[in-house]
Amino acid sequence: MFNKQRLHKLTLVTQIYNILLRILSGSFFIIILIFFQDPDLKTMLIFLGIFIALSSILFVVEVIKYYRTHYWIEGNRLVLQTGLFVIKEKDIQISRIQSIDTSEDIVHRLLKVTKVTVNTPGQGLSLDALSVSQYKALSDYLNQLKTALNKKDVDSLPEDELSAENTEFTQTSQENIPEETGLFQLSIGEIVKMTILNGAIFRGFFIFLIGFNFITDLPLDDFFTEVESVFISASIIILFASILVGMILLYTIGIIASIIKNYGYKVTLSEEYLNIKKGLLETQSQTIPLKNIQTIEEKRNWIMNFFGYTTFSLGLTSDSSQKDNDNKTEVKEDGQVILFPIIKSKQLKPLVKQCFPNYVLAPVETVVPTRSIRRFIQFPVLFWLIVATAASMLLWTYAWIIGLFIIVFYGFFGYRSYKLTGYHLSDNEVSIQTPTLFALRKTYVPKNRILNLEVKQNPFLRKANLAKASFNTAHGMTSKNFKLRFIEEKDAFIIFKWFKNGGAD
């Protein structure tokens, strides 16, 4: 079966859809401009002719590429051969496959085909499109062949012993398929709740308000100079009405977009993998190898904390380069992927223990001494004081009012950092808690995932018996840094000793 073969014939239909989508999106503003200028029949025919000619050329290109694209299995390699004028081959080692993901946009779903992405560390292969039966056969074959190859010392075997024909494995049967356990799923109501509580809409609304001010030249100076007319001024009424309408529109659009993206959100667990499935117009299936997980993290903003909810995410090493394989998974550039977008805090720990039984998940102990408060506050407050003063003198008389709000906010944030920064050491795991501007983040890191750890002291910190401790873990294509600032010197060196010698006291 896995001799050289082509993709499914319906790949040509999915490519037509992609061609039309690219052309229409690329010429959107041209189309709007033409129709706003009351085009005549000749202009419309010329534009239509260009559109048809360009679509035809691109379609012919895709037809040629389709007939010149093949994939097959050869030894320990999955090979993809494609090209227009120059044939290129790309291959990955089957023994290094980490996950096999799928995605289906609306055309794929109508045609009952799927796009398959095979991921390995550093690169991957995408096959668009395969039928469901083709995908199942290839996926099962690759998984069994990988298992068989990994039972041997692949590097020590000659190439002829690595061929699919010579490698022992059994044909797929129901009992050989790893059983999946359902862990978590979101209803439409929970998706709406998640969208409202995660704060993204509030940030969007803030950006909208700033843009609205610049576009409409709102009379904010009058707002400050004529306070007595706030409730009767027509301009103020229009302002607040516009803000209210804009907020409702943003909420509505944000909720609809979130429902479309996360519809049917479901997390399942098998022996070695977590799987996330979601999507209404475009369904995605993302596989997360448990061995790739570097850190686990829970994060809650002020609103979520008030209602008892949290967000749980994983820090991963990158499966593959996003640019190379056109992957549409939810792994961010820093390697962070959200597993449970919204969940009650009291429901989280049993699920986490089920997924990650080796994690201790110890509560942190706050360790920042009282004398560190000013160090969290003084530098941001001084910076914004200078900015607000300069803006008031050079740009806008009332800029100091905005500056005052920012200074108070950063003062409060500094106090939160002092109160909430903490850590806890277990034998093979460190728990670290650090506030962000709008949320509280708690991260659990196994010691064997820490790449390096350092303790820093400048002369002022040394004099005050304070220090900064930081460490890095592999995240995405690079690494991620975690910091504990202005903690007791003895705490910093306890962490250093724990990392160097192994085990907590």
Side-chain angles (χ1 to χ4, degrees), residues 105-148:
D105 59 29
I106 191 167
V107 174
H108 283 80
R109 294 176 69 186
L110 288 173
L111 298 175
K112 297 183 179 180
V113 293
T114 186
K115 180 175 182 177
V116 180
T117 303
V118 184
N119 297 309
T120 67
Q123 66 173 341
L125 290 182
S126 288
L127 303 173
D128 183 10
L130 301 182
S131 67
V132 176
S133 59
Q134 278 182 305
Y135 157 66
K136 284 292 294 178
L138 178 63
S139 174
D140 293 341
Y141 190 93
L142 287 174
N143 283 327
Q144 292 189 64
L145 186 54
K146 175 191 170 184
T147 301

Side-chain angles (χ1 to χ4, degrees), residues 151-168:
K151 286 180 180 178
K152 303 179 181 180
D153 185 2
V154 175
D155 293 332
S156 66
L157 292 176
E159 181 68 23
D160 59 346
E161 290 188 34
L162 288 173
S163 65
E165 291 79 6
N166 293 334
T167 304
E168 295 181 6

Side-chain angles (χ1 to χ4, degrees), residues 109 186 188 191 258-266 277-281 283:
R109 294 176 69 186
L186 287 176
I188 293 179
I191 294 173
S258 184
I259 291 174
I260 291 172
K261 180 181 179 181
N262 296 290
Y263 181 83
Y265 193 104
K266 185 178 181 181
K277 294 181 180 179
K278 64 176 184 176
L280 181 61
L281 297 181
T283 59

Side-chain angles (χ1 to χ4, degrees), residues 245-307:
V245 171
M247 194 169 183
I248 293 172
L249 283 174
L250 278 173
Y251 259 84
T252 305
I253 293 170
I255 289 171
I256 292 172
S258 184
I259 291 174
I260 291 172
K261 180 181 179 181
N262 296 290
Y263 181 83
Y265 193 104
K266 185 178 181 181
V267 180
T268 56
L269 172 68
S270 62
E271 186 176 349
E272 298 179 352
Y273 301 95
L274 286 164
N275 184 265
I276 303 173
K277 294 181 180 179
K278 64 176 184 176
L280 181 61
L281 297 181
E282 178 175 6
T283 59
Q284 297 177 14
S285 174
Q286 178 183 357
T287 303
I288 301 172
L290 293 176
K291 66 179 181 180
N292 279 14
I293 296 171
Q294 304 295 303
T295 62
I296 62 176
E297 175 180 298
E298 64 176 291
K299 186 176 181 180
R300 58 176 78 103
N301 60 34
W302 300 342
I303 307 172
M304 294 178 73
N305 189 53
F306 180 80
F307 289 99

